[in-house]
Amino acid sequence: MAVNRAELLELCRTNPEAVVDIIEKQDRLITQLTERIVQLEARIAELEARLNRTSRNSSQPPSMDGFRRVQSPRKRGERPPGGQKGHKGQTLEMVDNPDEIEVHQVRECQGCGASLVDENPVKIERRQVHDAEFRIQVTEHRAEHKRCPHCGRVNRADFPSDVQFPVQYGQNLKALMVYLCVYQLIPYDRIRETFSDIFGRSLSTGTLVNAVWENYRNLAGVEEQIRELLTGSDVIHVDETGMRVAGIRQWLHVASTDFLTWYGHHRKRGKRATDDMQILPRFKGTMVHDFWAPYFRYPGRHAICNAHLLRELNGISENYQQTWSQDLHSLILEIKQEVDAARAHSCSLGSSKIADFEERYFRILEKGLNEIPSAVISDSPTKRGRKKQSKAKNLLNRCRNFPHEILAFMYNFSIPFTNNLAERDIRMAKLQQKISGTFRSEVGAAAFCRIRGYISTVKKNERPVLDSLAGAFQGTPFIPLHA
């Protein structure tokens, strides 16, 4: 109820207690409105942060940036265009033993016309053309039947074990089918079109499917070997992402090292899935991941991906105008530079250097506690339960609670700065989902995971991919021996 000046003066003279009540009500109302304004300002800041979210300041993938031009975090002139210093270039080089040699003779003198056929060359100039023939080579196997002149029995020679049908495709062509399907992610119809255009042969979809299934069955032992090697390795990278199987949301999990890749799919995302995959429950080394809570339920050591952390710190600096996040961002990059420089001549930083970095790390976080507003974000002032904190406060708490995991690369040089290895291994699987939308069956998803993991492992060990796939058809696949 509004009270004008004259009425208020009259109340002060006749009823002072009423004036006190009015002032107290106004104070309470001002307090409530002030709290609500703070909440709404925090909410507005949160919504603006969502609009400003990009792949550079959050975990959002680059594909969701749209047409916005995202500024690169790389400083101008830090890496000039072209090959970097120390990069091993790739160029076409001459071979010592060419498959064919064509000799171009000098038959007569261009000056006087005399015959030079019988003259020996004073110099041979070489040029080589590297090319390929796109044709199918047909090998016919003939098994003799002979009758024994003594007992009359008819004896037949044995065909090779991999020649089982009157007409069939060989191991190299089947390896190419699997490679195009599972690694290059080309749909069946386009593979059929490719074979028709290049080789002049029409494939059936059944032929492609059967090649994938055969390769899948033959790689069961290799998949188990990769799983065992990962279990015993010192450091592994893990990650997960959504995938659709038979139209149902499932999860693709990856565990990898510099020489191994293992994929698995599961209906669940959390600990039940990783338990069923039988790697993390037995793993005793250091697990590098993106701070997903179920990974912390395993007792081994943990290391956090600092690429993710740096992007989140960028987001806090840009969207909430806080300085502690920028200071921590700079400190982590400074530590990385020190580690990179020290790695060339040592296996660790000095204890004094580590202590200095730790002291600066916690000092920045203490500064952040004073900088972050105490207000919390709430969709409704009457909403029950624990109130949602700001992203800045959540990130600050994470940095305070997990300093050793964030700075693991500083304490142990064998631990990488990021989890980029697992992210690279899982990125192309996401592309498969964009191309195909879903796997048609559980078996199809399992075949993709096993074969894709095998090809990735082969490439990491610098083995020829098509030869290794052909070896799997022949029962002699590449088997890794170390992690």
Side-chain angles (χ1 to χ4, degrees), residues 130-199:
H130 295 234
D131 206 346
E133 294 185 5
F134 300 106
R135 66 184 182 87
I136 292 179
Q137 179 179 343
V138 179
T139 300
E140 181 174 288
H141 295 263
R142 299 179 179 181
E144 294 180 336
H145 291 231
K146 291 185 178 180
R147 186 183 301 277
C148 177
H150 302 287
C151 65
R153 177 177 175 176
V154 177
N155 300 270
R156 192 198 75 174
D158 293 330
F159 285 100
S161 60
D162 58 342
V163 180
Q164 301 176 357
F165 305 101
V167 180
Q168 66 181 62
Y169 288 105
Q171 316 298 351
N172 292 329
L173 276 180
K174 289 195 290 185
L176 180 59
M177 297 175 197
V178 174
Y179 172 77
L180 294 176
C181 177
V182 177
Y183 191 76
Q184 295 298 343
L185 308 178
I186 302 178
Y188 287 148
D189 288 344
R190 289 181 57 198
I191 295 177
R192 295 173 58 197
E193 183 180 7
T194 299
F195 266 68
S196 177
D197 292 342
I198 295 178
F199 300 115

Side-chain angles (χ1 to χ4, degrees), residues 288-329:
V288 185
H289 54 83
D290 302 338
F291 199 81
W292 189 46
Y295 291 138
F296 284 103
R297 299 176 67 179
Y298 294 100
R301 297 179 296 277
H302 299 267
I304 305 301
C305 175
N306 281 285
H308 278 74
L309 178 61
L310 292 177
R311 289 196 293 267
E312 291 183 82
L313 290 171
N314 265 339
I316 300 301
S317 301
E318 295 176 0
N319 298 320
Y320 300 98
Q321 293 74 48
Q322 297 187 6
T323 60
W324 72 268
S325 53
Q326 186 59 49
D327 292 342
L328 188 58
H329 184 283

Side-chain angles (χ1 to χ4, degrees), residues 345-358:
H345 55 78
S346 178
C347 59
S348 65
L349 291 179
S351 57
S352 60
K353 180 68 71 173
I354 291 177
D356 176 63
F357 282 138
E358 289 176 337

Side-chain angles (χ1 to χ4, degrees), residues 99-111:
D99 299 302
E100 294 184 10
I101 297 177
E102 292 187 13
V103 178
H104 305 281
Q105 295 182 337
V106 178
R107 296 187 176 276
E108 64 180 26
C109 178
Q110 296 177 357

